[in-house]
Amino acid sequence: MLDKRKIRLMTKMAIYEKKYGEEDIKISGYYKKDYSSLNTWITLIWVSAGYLLAAALLVLCGADAILEGLTFLKLLVLIAIAAGAYFALLIIYGIGSGKFYRRKHTQAKQRVKKYYRDMSRLEKIYKKEYRDHE
């Protein structure tokens, strides 16, 4: 005879495995601080690379306009503005990505915990069926 509880539980677990399973287990293998720190550093490296590429592109495209009336003081102001924008961008992305990855780790950990709880429920159902058939 089919057990509706067991079928629902197995369906729920299969949906979880297909949707989140592999990534959540990978994420929950890290401590929260390690996971968020690693991914925040990766984000900051990519933001730096993007900023450097964008700055280089702006300099190359607007080289004539920049060099036209350039003095040493204007050059220092431009460098200060570029550095200020870069550090502001790093701070914003660093804080945002840290919060994002901490939340992502917490959610993954909760889903894995719920999955393991469902797995133990399923095991209890199987044990009960086995005892009943003996």
Side-chain angles (χ1 to χ4, degrees):
M1 184 166 123
L2 296 175
D3 185 5
K4 288 183 182 180
R5 243 183 17 187
K6 183 171 73 172
I7 293 171
R8 283 189 191 123
L9 193 57
M10 289 172 69
T11 304
K12 181 179 164 184
M13 290 171 64
I15 290 170
Y16 168 78
E17 286 174 2
K18 187 171 180 102
K19 194 172 183 181
Y20 299 109
E22 190 175 328
E23 184 182 2
D24 279 357
I25 290 173
K26 247 190 257 181
I27 290 172
S28 66
Y30 288 96
Y31 291 110
K32 185 190 296 189
K33 184 176 168 104
D34 292 342
Y35 179 75
S36 66
S37 296
L38 173 67
N39 285 294
T40 299
W41 278 108
I42 291 170
T43 300
L44 293 179
I45 289 169
W46 281 109
V47 165
S48 297
Y51 188 83
L52 287 173
L53 288 173
L57 186 63
L58 283 173
V59 168
L60 288 176
C61 290
D64 291 340
I66 293 172
L67 293 176
E68 196 168 295
L70 189 66
T71 63
F72 185 71
L73 187 58
K74 286 183 183 178
L75 179 65
L76 288 178
V77 169
L78 280 176
I79 291 172
I81 289 171
Y86 171 70
F87 288 120
L89 195 66
L90 274 185
I91 290 169
I92 291 168
Y93 269 91
I95 292 171
S97 66
K99 287 181 181 180
F100 173 78
Y101 287 114
R102 279 191 298 276
R103 185 174 54 243
K104 186 174 180 178
H105 184 276
T106 300
Q107 291 171 346
K109 199 80 160 174
Q110 288 171 348
R111 286 191 298 262
V112 167
K113 190 176 183 181
K114 191 173 182 183
Y115 175 73
Y116 285 140
R117 190 177 328 118
D118 289 344
M119 198 177 284
S120 68
R121 282 185 190 146
L122 188 61
E123 183 182 13
K124 287 177 184 176
I125 291 171
Y126 275 115
K127 282 182 181 179
K128 183 179 179 205
E129 283 180 1
Y130 181 73
R131 280 187 303 227
D132 291 343
H133 288 349
E134 282 185 344

